[in-house]
């Protein structure tokens, strides 16, 4: 078989690319340092383009696995510069994820800001404004923004990041945040953070999906604070101290800005983290899971939701504290609001009453200071029966002096000792024999009580608590239930437990209240 090689192959089917479509980068091609890595080349280009402002341009699609300026064509470059200018002015038009990544790469490499906090704020604004439109953004930003804060040692709010990511931050970062909250700010703890530490997915619960989520988000932080305070008071160790976790610190090297175009010659390849691996401690996980389960079951009961969660239960002592608190909290929230009457002031009648009051004030002039029969010095007031005159001051004084001859008078004796005997207690005071043995938290509790709360406690310790409590409430223009709720609020803040239940002092604390001076 012979093959003729004299004929030239057909080349018309392979077109030569049009040179006008080749991407040109109008940058200084002579960069110092010889051959640059793609990351360092990107940073050099970004510094040259940092102050460029783009004019309005049409949107052009852009999708790249490794987006940089070098893979953009001219129309894409024009759109990017216009879009970045809009973002810097607080406007966030729709765009592709690849454009967004280029701007994020600029910020994490130190381009586009003077102070690190400004760069952090820009990254957060980008994330917040595009995360719902570009769902893949969460996967990257929840790592990169944490890295940025660690590199620049910013006082960033990890709890805010937890809310943005529904708790799906790196586990070592969550452990650091949980340790901080359990040590100092346990009332700021959130369900989104804690749900990463439960031993099952709480979002699969029918109660959680059918309205229970809002209830649990509200009460779980309060219950955690309650349990921590109770443990500190009764066992002298909070939740974190129960498991001796602080002796198990771990140090790791966290790689920075993974999967980003990042020049590691700027801030380094990694950052060192020291944390306590709380999530790896099985006993802690079981403990917080049981607290959650106990809380959800009680909320189900109070809201009339059928079914209860099964599994290992919390110890009865702590379960009782949680259930009593939730009973009281739910009862207080469902007290019907009392409609306040509309008050209208009659100005004419008010002026008349003011005039009559002035007449009485001048009429009740103390003439002398006689000695009462009981030996105490008192004041004798001469009050004429007729006090509704409207004469001038001179006539009033004459009428007052002549009242013994013209009108029968009422003689009022005010005994100094009687006035002192009727003085209500302003602070909660203890018997001298027991005051020295009281814990500091009780002294703190006593110091935070208002006079009406002190009088309410005295009423509860009396022979007719309901009647006396009502009198105290009427005296201060409030309701008995509100007084008792306020006492419980102070008790929760200082002692870590409720002191009033069912309009009576809790029996387990009666040995303390029996030492109150009355």
């Amino acid at each position: 078989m012979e093959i003729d090689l004299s004929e030239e192959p057909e080349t018309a089917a392979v077109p030569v690319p049009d040179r006008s479509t080749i991407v040109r980068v109008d940058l200084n091609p002579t960069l110092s340092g010889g051959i640059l890595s793609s990351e360092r080349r990107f940073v050099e280009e970004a510094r040259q383009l940092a102050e460029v402002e783009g004019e309005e341009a049409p949107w052009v699609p852009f999708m790249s696995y490794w987006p940089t300026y070098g893979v953009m064509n001219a129309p894409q470059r024009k759109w990017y510069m216009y879009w970045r200018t809009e973002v810097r002015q607080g406007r966030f038009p729709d765009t592709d994820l690849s454009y967004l990544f280029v701007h994020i790469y600029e910020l994490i490499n130190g381009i586009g800001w003077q102070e690190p906090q400004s760069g952090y704020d820009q990254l957060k604004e980008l994330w917040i404004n595009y995360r719902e439109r570009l769902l893949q953004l969460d996967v990257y930003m929840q790592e990169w923004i944490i890295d940025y804060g660690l590199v620049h040692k910013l006082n960033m709010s990890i709890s805010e990041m937890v809310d943005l990511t529904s708790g799906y931050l790196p586990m070592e970062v969550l452990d650091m945040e949980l340790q901080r909250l359990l040590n100092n700010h346990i009332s700021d703890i959130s369900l989104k953070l804690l749900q990463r530490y439960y031993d099952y997915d709480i979002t699969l619960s029918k109660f959680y999906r059918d309205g229970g989520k809002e209830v649990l988000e509200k009460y779980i932080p309060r219950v955690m604070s309650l349990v921590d305070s109770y443990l500190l008071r009764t066992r002298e160790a909070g939740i974190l101290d129960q498991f001796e976790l602080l002796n198990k610190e771990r140090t790791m090297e966290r790689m920075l800005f993974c999967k980003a175009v990042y020049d590691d010659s700027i801030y380094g390849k990694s950052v060192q983290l020291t944390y306590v691996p709380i999530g790896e401690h099985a006993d802690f996980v079981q403990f917080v899971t049981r607290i959650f389960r106990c809380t959800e079951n009680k909320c189900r009961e109070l809201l009339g939701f059928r079914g209860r969660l099964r599994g290992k239960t919390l110890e009865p002592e702590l379960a009782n504290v949680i259930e009593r608190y939730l009973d009281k909290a739910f009862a207080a929230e469902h007290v019907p609001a009392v409609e306040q009457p509309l008050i209208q002031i009659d100005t004419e009648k008010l002026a008349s009453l003011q005039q009559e009051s002035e007449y009485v004030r001048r009429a009740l002039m103390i003439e002398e200071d006689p000695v009462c029969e009981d030996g105490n010095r008192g004041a004798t007031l001469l009050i004429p029966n007729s006090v509704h005159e409207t004469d001038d001051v001179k006539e009033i004084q004459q009428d007052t002096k002549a009242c013994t001859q013209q009108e029968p008078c009422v003689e009022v004796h005010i005994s100094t000792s009687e006035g002192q005997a009727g003085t209500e207690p302003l602070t909660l005071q203890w018997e001298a024999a027991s005051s020295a043995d009281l814990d500091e938290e009780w002294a703190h509790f006593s110091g935070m009580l208002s006079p009406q709360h002190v009088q309410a406690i005295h009423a509860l310790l009396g022979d007719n608590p309901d009647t006396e409590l009502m009198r105290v409430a009427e005296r201060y223009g409030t309701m008995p239930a509100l007084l008792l709720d306020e006492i419980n609020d102070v008790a929760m803040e200082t002692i870590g437990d409720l002191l009033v239940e069912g309009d009576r002092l809790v029996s387990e604390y009666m040995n303390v209240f029996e030492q109150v001076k009355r």
Side-chain angles (χ1 to χ4, degrees):
M1 180 178 178
E2 294 182 0
I3 300 175
D4 187 0
L5 299 177
S6 62
E7 297 182 2
E8 295 182 358
E10 188 72 27
T11 59
V14 184
V16 177
D18 184 358
R19 291 180 181 273
S20 64
T21 64
I22 298 176
V23 177
R24 295 182 180 181
V25 180
D26 298 323
L27 300 171
N28 184 0
T30 59
L31 301 175
S32 59
I35 300 175
L36 302 178
S37 67
S38 58
E39 291 85 359
R40 190 166 302 181
R41 185 180 301 110
F42 171 82
V43 172
E44 293 288 348
E45 294 173 356
R47 287 172 179 161
Q48 295 182 38
L49 297 171
E51 303 301 325
V52 174
E53 293 188 1
E55 298 180 354
E56 186 172 356
W59 170 76
V60 182
F62 178 44
M63 183 179 296
S64 173
Y65 180 77
W66 198 253
T68 61
Y69 308 113
V71 296
M72 294 181 187
N73 59 31
Q76 289 169 339
R77 177 79 65 89
K78 288 181 179 180
W79 164 256
Y80 174 74
M81 292 303 171
Y82 166 68
W83 169 81
R84 189 182 69 176
T85 302
E86 290 290 290
V87 165
R88 287 177 173 177
Q89 296 175 1
R91 296 183 290 270
F92 300 89
D94 290 341
T95 194
D96 288 331
L97 184 62
S98 293
Y99 287 119
L100 204 66
F101 278 157
V102 173
H103 189 29
I104 292 170
Y105 297 159
E106 291 174 346
L107 293 170
I108 65 178
N109 283 286
I111 312 298
W113 50 264
Q114 298 297 323
E115 297 294 332
Q117 185 63 47
S118 173
Y120 177 81
D121 293 338
Q122 291 183 59
L123 285 170
K124 189 170 69 173
E125 285 297 312
L126 284 170
W127 189 11
I128 291 173
N129 283 280
Y130 283 103
R131 65 190 304 261
E132 294 184 357
R133 286 179 272 178
L134 302 168
L135 301 181
Q136 308 100 307
L137 190 60
D138 277 359
V139 177
Y140 301 95
M141 285 302 293
Q142 65 189 22
E143 299 276 352
W144 293 343
I145 200 167
I146 293 295
D147 290 341
Y148 184 95
L150 292 173
V151 162
H152 297 285
K153 299 179 180 179
L154 298 178
N155 186 23
M156 58 182 173
S157 173
I158 301 296
S159 292
E160 183 182 16
M161 298 298 105
V162 170
D163 289 338
L164 280 173
T165 62
S166 297
Y168 289 96
L169 288 176
M171 202 63 203
E172 63 272 12
V173 175
L174 292 181
D175 284 339
M176 292 171 61
E177 179 67 0
L178 183 60
Q179 180 183 353
R180 182 185 72 85
L181 293 173
L182 288 175
N183 280 330
N184 301 305
H185 306 282
I186 191 167
S187 59
D188 295 335
I189 206 165
S190 69
L191 182 60
K192 286 184 178 179
L193 173 59
L194 284 172
Q195 71 183 45
R196 286 290 300 275
Y197 293 87
Y198 298 143
D199 61 10
Y200 69 98
D201 187 353
I202 65 172
T203 64
L204 300 179
S205 163
K206 192 175 188 311
F207 175 75
Y208 183 92
R209 297 196 307 267
D210 294 349
K213 176 183 176 182
E214 291 75 16
V215 176
L216 293 171
E217 286 178 342
K218 177 179 181 179
Y219 283 107
I220 284 295
R222 299 182 186 183
V223 167
M224 289 292 292
S225 180
L226 170 70
V227 171
D228 190 68
S229 298
Y230 183 82
L231 291 174
L232 281 170
R233 181 173 62 85
T234 59
R235 306 178 190 179
E236 299 182 351
I239 292 176
L240 199 59
D241 299 325
Q242 297 291 314
F243 306 98
E244 300 180 353
L245 296 175
L246 299 181
N247 299 325
K248 302 178 181 179
E249 283 190 347
R250 180 182 299 173
T251 300
M252 65 166 289
E253 291 290 326
R254 176 177 169 83
M255 302 303 296
L256 294 173
F257 305 114
C258 294
K259 302 180 181 179
V261 177
Y262 164 64
D263 180 6
D264 57 30
S265 67
I266 301 175
Y267 304 118
K269 294 182 178 181
S270 64
V271 65
Q272 193 174 80
L273 286 184
T274 300
Y275 67 101
V276 177
I278 301 175
E280 297 179 11
H281 197 285
D283 290 341
F284 175 85
V285 170
Q286 291 180 11
F287 183 72
V288 294
T289 301
R290 291 172 187 176
I291 291 176
F292 176 82
R293 187 181 293 120
C294 176
T295 304
E296 179 173 337
N297 281 337
K298 187 61 181 179
C299 289
R300 285 172 176 243
E301 175 190 329
L302 293 170
L303 295 174
F305 196 90
R306 296 179 59 186
R308 299 292 181 268
L309 297 176
R310 298 180 180 179
K312 293 183 178 179
T313 58
L314 197 62
E315 58 183 283
E317 179 185 1
L318 292 178
N320 185 43
V321 170
I322 293 172
E323 290 171 0
R324 280 169 43 201
Y325 165 73
L326 291 173
D327 279 332
K328 201 69 179 179
F330 270 73
E333 287 191 357
H334 293 84
V335 172
V338 178
E339 184 176 352
Q340 297 295 329
L342 180 63
I343 299 175
Q344 294 181 341
I345 299 176
D346 187 334
T347 55
E348 293 182 1
K349 189 173 183 180
L350 178 61
S352 175
L353 289 172
Q354 287 176 331
Q355 192 174 23
E356 293 175 3
S357 298
E358 178 65 16
Y359 184 95
V360 173
R361 188 185 70 79
R362 293 184 179 278
L364 298 177
M365 302 297 291
I366 300 177
E367 296 296 334
E368 54 184 347
D369 192 14
V371 178
C372 299
E373 294 178 0
D374 59 0
N376 294 314
R377 298 192 65 82
T380 302
L381 306 183
L382 299 178
I383 306 177
N385 288 340
S386 171
V387 294
H388 297 288
E389 305 287 344
T390 57
D391 298 327
D392 57 22
V393 174
K394 191 173 182 179
E395 292 175 348
I396 293 171
Q397 293 173 344
Q398 293 173 352
D399 289 346
T400 305
K401 292 178 181 179
C403 72
T404 54
Q405 299 176 358
Q406 298 174 359
E407 297 177 347
C409 296
V410 180
E411 195 173 84
V412 181
H413 294 276
I414 302 175
S415 172
T416 306
S417 61
E418 289 176 359
Q420 291 176 348
T423 303
E424 296 290 351
L426 298 179
T427 59
L428 200 64
Q429 299 178 356
W430 315 90
E431 296 291 347
S434 61
S435 60
D437 298 329
L438 283 175
D439 294 336
E440 183 180 351
E441 60 196 19
W442 283 100
H444 191 199
F445 167 73
S446 175
M448 291 185 64
L449 292 176
S450 300
Q452 61 266 35
H453 302 143
V454 176
Q455 295 172 32
I457 290 174
H458 278 259
L460 293 176
L461 293 171
D463 296 331
N464 299 304
D466 295 329
T467 304
E468 293 300 323
L469 188 61
M470 181 60 71
R471 288 177 182 172
V472 174
E474 290 175 353
R475 189 178 306 143
Y476 287 93
T478 183
M479 295 187 297
L482 293 179
L483 281 175
L484 300 182
D485 286 340
E486 290 166 0
I487 292 172
N488 274 335
D489 289 341
V490 176
M492 284 297 300
E493 186 175 344
T494 56
I495 299 172
D497 198 4
L498 302 174
L499 297 182
V500 182
E501 184 175 8
D503 297 336
R504 294 292 184 272
L505 294 170
V506 177
S507 58
E508 63 185 89
Y509 293 110
M510 284 305 298
N511 61 326
V512 179
F513 285 109
E514 286 173 355
Q515 309 302 322
V516 172
K517 283 186 180 180
R518 285 178 276 173

